[in-house]
Amino acid sequence: MMWSQAIVKGKLARVGDGVWSGDTFKASVIEIGGRSLQDIRAARCLLERMETGKEMELLICSAHIYGVRVDGKTF
C-alpha cells in the first residue's frame, strides 16, 4: 500500500457536499489555495475548525485530513 502525504496551504474557498459515517465526513470536494481536493475525509472535530475564507494548512495523508492549522493553532 502506498501512503501519500501532503500539506496544503491557502484560503479555504469551499467544502462541498458529502456524507457522514459516524463522526467522519467524506466531502465531495474541498477547494483550498486554488486546488480542488476530491473525496477527502475529515473527523467532525477537524471539520469544525475549517471556516471558509480563512487561511489555513491541512495535513492530508491518504485522502484523510489529520491536522488543521488555523489562526496560529494546530488541531
Side-chain angles (χ1 to χ4, degrees), residues 20-71:
W20 286 97
S21 177
D23 276 343
T24 303
F25 183 73
K26 182 178 180 184
S28 58
V29 66
I30 294 176
E31 295 177 358
I32 181 171
R35 296 179 63 182
S36 286
L37 310 172
Q38 296 182 343
D39 299 324
I40 302 291
R41 296 177 187 269
R44 183 183 310 273
C45 61
L46 296 177
L47 192 63
E48 290 172 349
R49 306 295 179 178
M50 297 168 58
E51 185 179 327
T52 56
K54 285 202 169 191
E55 291 285 331
M56 63 185 63
E57 296 179 28
L58 304 179
L59 171 61
I60 300 173
C61 183
S62 295
H64 288 79
I65 296 174
Y66 281 97
V68 175
R69 182 175 292 145
V70 62
D71 295 331

